[in-house]
């Protein structure tokens, strides 16, 4: 099959391209705008792979999308603005990519009559969840500009299934971690700041709960839904590893042999969701299995960042990263001075 992977140069997308090329005979076309989060280094090993090709372009551009989708059997859409803190600083790009971009892809997909359209979504669309894990039929109550834009994209996907019969699928993954994650998200920022013995910013009391999912398990979940999911359905993809942020940060510091005195409690994120929790039994019933040892995958992730310093140092030295860091956390000196 010919697969169009939108946003394939980002964190989960590039891991998914690797997952697919290593297991199947499929042809993979990546369409990616290469925003600050897109990085062709993530796909370097496939540059001359006979079943891989790359198209530079925006999912919100109908002409590029129509041309990239030509001959595609299936579409998997990872392309999104994906970071909550950036959505708080400026929501506009989230609306143009996560909502309008999804609409442009759906329009092209129905014209091209693709046989599968999988929208990669997030457990954050359920909003703040403390207590009972959300099942797929729960109401969507997003609370950040990021999760609201992802929910908007999802609603369009469901509408294209109901109205035009497009064979759509939705996956709602939980907080994902692993190799090639841009160092603005919690786990890679903690690892890389800790390696440099810098203050680790923990929002508020650090007791917020997330369900941590290893990226390879996220990819296998998406792959299973793509091949065996029921059109029109959504599937939760949860890690089954509920952890408070502070506990997770302490674990990473211990693994790196760094002092817990590096932890710096900084002002809480506005509208910070205290918890997420999803029930993955629908996907498990489809035959999905996931890595049973959280320790093993968190250790492997810490090791990957320790072994791949040039990859993340180039990002952290970039102007975009420095500007973002300053806007979100203030300058490094004042973060350190708070200790
Ligand atoms: P990421 O930010 O690392 O990558 C996003 C990719 O999309 C980048 O390669 C970027 O260049 C590309 N992109 C952005 N806007 C584009 C546009 N307009 N046109 C074409 N390409 C564009 O994100 P990620 O963490 O890999 O997440 C991928 C998807 O998975 C997103 O849809 C996200 O909402 C979802 N998700 C992420 C997580 C997580 O914990 N990271 C969890 C659940 C779901
Ligand atoms: P993040 O990785 O940004 O994912 P999300 O907000 O999509 O869940 O953050 C995970 C958790 O870690 C979240 O509760 C916010 C918290 N956090 C911090 O405490 N400090 C930080 O510097 C970052 C980036 C996140």
């Amino acid at each position: 099959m010919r697969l169009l992977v939108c946003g394939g140069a980002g964190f989960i997308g590039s891991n998914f391209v690797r997952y697919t090329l290593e297991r199947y005979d499929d042809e993979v076309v990546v369409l990616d705008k290469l925003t600050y989060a897109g990085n062709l280094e993530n796909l370097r090993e496939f540059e001359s792979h006979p079943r891989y090709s790359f198209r530079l372009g925006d999912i919100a551009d109908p002409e590029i999308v129509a041309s990239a989708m030509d001959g595609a059997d299936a579409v998997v859409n990872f392309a999104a603005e994906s970071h909550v803190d950036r959505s708080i600083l400026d929501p506009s790009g989230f609306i143009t990519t996560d909502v309008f971009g999804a609409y442009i892809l759906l329009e092209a997909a129905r014209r091209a009559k693709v046989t599968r359209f999988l929208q990669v979504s997030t457990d954050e669309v359920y909003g703040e969840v403390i207590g009972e894990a959300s099942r797929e039929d729960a109401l969507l109550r997003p609370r950040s500009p990021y999760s609201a834009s992802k929910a908007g994209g999802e609603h369009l996907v469901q509408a294209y299934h109901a109205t035009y019969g497009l064979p759509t699928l939705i996956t709602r993954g939980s907080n994902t971690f692993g190799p090639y994650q841009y160092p603005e998200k919690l786990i890679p920022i903690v690892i890389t700041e800790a390696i440099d013995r810098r203050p680790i910013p923990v929002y508020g009391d650090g007791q917020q709960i997330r369900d941590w999912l290893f990226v390879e398990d996220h990819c296998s979940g998406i792959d299973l839904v793509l091949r065996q999911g029921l059109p029109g359905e959504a599937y939760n993809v949860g890690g089954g590893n509920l952890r408070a942020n502070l506990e997770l940060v302490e674990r990473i510091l211990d693994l790196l042999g760094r002092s817990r005195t590096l932890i710096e409690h900084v002002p809480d994120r506005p509208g910070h969701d205290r918890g997420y929790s999803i029930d993955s039994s629908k996907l498990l019933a489809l035959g999905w299995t996931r890595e049973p040892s959280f320790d093993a995958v968190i250790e492997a992730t810490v090791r990957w960042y320790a072994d791949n310093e040039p990859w993340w140092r180039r990002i952290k030295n970039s102007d975009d990263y420095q500007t973002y860091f300053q806007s979100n956390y203030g300058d490094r000196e004042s973060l350190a001075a708070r200790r």
Side-chain angles (χ1 to χ4, degrees):
M1 121 169 123
R2 187 179 164 102
L3 209 57
L4 176 64
V5 179
C6 305
F11 162 49
I12 309 173
S14 62
N15 277 282
F16 181 79
V17 168
R18 182 170 299 104
Y19 186 93
T20 302
L21 287 173
E22 283 174 356
R23 283 168 182 78
Y24 301 101
D25 288 334
D26 296 336
E27 196 185 322
V28 173
V29 179
V30 168
L31 172 67
D32 199 295
K33 187 182 173 182
L34 297 183
T35 65
Y36 78 92
N39 186 349
L40 284 179
E41 271 185 52
N42 301 358
L43 294 166
R44 175 145 301 154
E45 72 211 76
F46 301 115
E47 254 168 19
S48 52
H49 193 290
R51 288 183 283 110
Y52 162 81
S53 58
F54 179 79
R55 294 284 304 268
L56 178 67
D58 191 331
I59 60 161
D61 178 333
E63 278 172 29
I64 285 164
V65 165
S67 138
M69 215 177 280
D70 193 31
D73 301 295
V75 177
V76 182
N77 181 31
F78 292 92
E81 288 296 335
S82 70
H83 189 40
V84 173
D85 293 320
R86 290 195 190 239
S87 83
I88 294 168
L89 292 168
D90 179 7
S92 61
F94 290 73
I95 314 303
T96 44
T97 291
D98 303 11
V99 184
F100 187 73
Y103 150 70
I104 295 296
L105 284 179
L106 287 161
E107 263 304 296
R110 88 178 167 99
R111 285 172 206 282
K113 299 189 169 51
V114 301
T115 58
R116 308 291 258 184
F117 182 101
L118 190 150
Q119 171 76 357
V120 179
S121 190
T122 164
D123 63 351
E124 301 190 27
V125 295
Y126 295 117
E128 183 170 74
V129 178
I130 297 155
E132 204 181 329
S134 310
R135 294 169 64 98
E136 288 80 355
D137 57 3
L139 276 181
L140 306 191
R141 299 175 191 273
R143 287 163 26 95
S144 73
Y146 164 66
S147 54
S149 68
K150 291 297 292 185
E154 273 204 30
H155 285 312
L156 286 168
V157 170
Q158 300 286 28
Y160 270 67
H161 176 73
T163 309
Y164 305 112
L166 189 70
T168 61
L169 298 149
I170 291 172
T171 54
R172 299 188 183 129
S174 63
N175 281 69
T176 305
F177 67 97
Y180 300 102
Q181 186 168 30
Y182 192 89
E184 64 189 351
K185 305 280 188 346
L186 181 69
I187 288 182
I189 206 171
V190 171
I191 298 172
T192 57
E193 293 294 294
I195 286 175
D196 286 343
R197 294 186 166 78
R198 287 180 155 151
I200 309 295
V202 169
Y203 297 154
D205 62 6
Q207 292 309 317
Q208 304 84 2
I209 309 278
R210 296 291 183 268
D211 176 7
W212 294 97
L213 170 66
F214 188 52
V215 66
E216 224 173 89
D217 292 334
H218 195 162
C219 291
S220 70
I222 291 169
D223 176 62
L224 185 61
V225 171
L226 177 66
R227 287 161 207 277
Q228 291 179 38
L230 205 61
E233 295 289 307
Y235 294 84
N236 290 339
V237 190
N241 300 302
L242 294 176
R243 294 283 184 286
N245 292 339
L246 195 57
E247 179 192 350
L248 177 60
V249 170
E250 288 176 352
R251 176 89 186 103
I252 294 171
L253 290 174
D254 291 351
L255 284 171
L256 284 164
R258 295 291 187 262
S259 165
R260 292 180 181 185
T261 59
L262 285 178
I263 293 170
E264 180 61 41
H265 288 271
V266 300
D268 210 351
R269 171 190 277 175
H272 197 167
D273 289 334
R274 296 287 294 177
Y276 300 129
S277 179
I278 48 175
D279 179 333
S280 303
S281 30
K282 187 172 171 183
L283 186 58
L284 290 165
L286 212 57
W288 183 55
T289 54
R290 57 193 170 186
E291 167 60 51
S293 164
F294 182 63
D295 276 348
V297 284
I298 198 77
E299 281 171 37
T301 302
V302 169
R303 214 173 312 120
W304 188 86
Y305 280 88
D307 291 345
N308 288 275
E309 283 200 20
W311 182 88
W312 56 264
R313 285 207 189 278
R314 197 192 54 71
I315 293 171
K316 292 189 89 165
N317 289 331
S318 69
D319 289 346
D320 178 88
Y321 190 86
Q322 304 274 334
T323 306
Y324 163 72
F325 194 97
Q326 163 89 29
S327 316
N328 197 54
Y329 300 104
D331 55 60
R332 286 187 180 281
E333 287 66 36
S334 59
L335 193 59
R338 277 205 288 254
R339 296 164 68 217

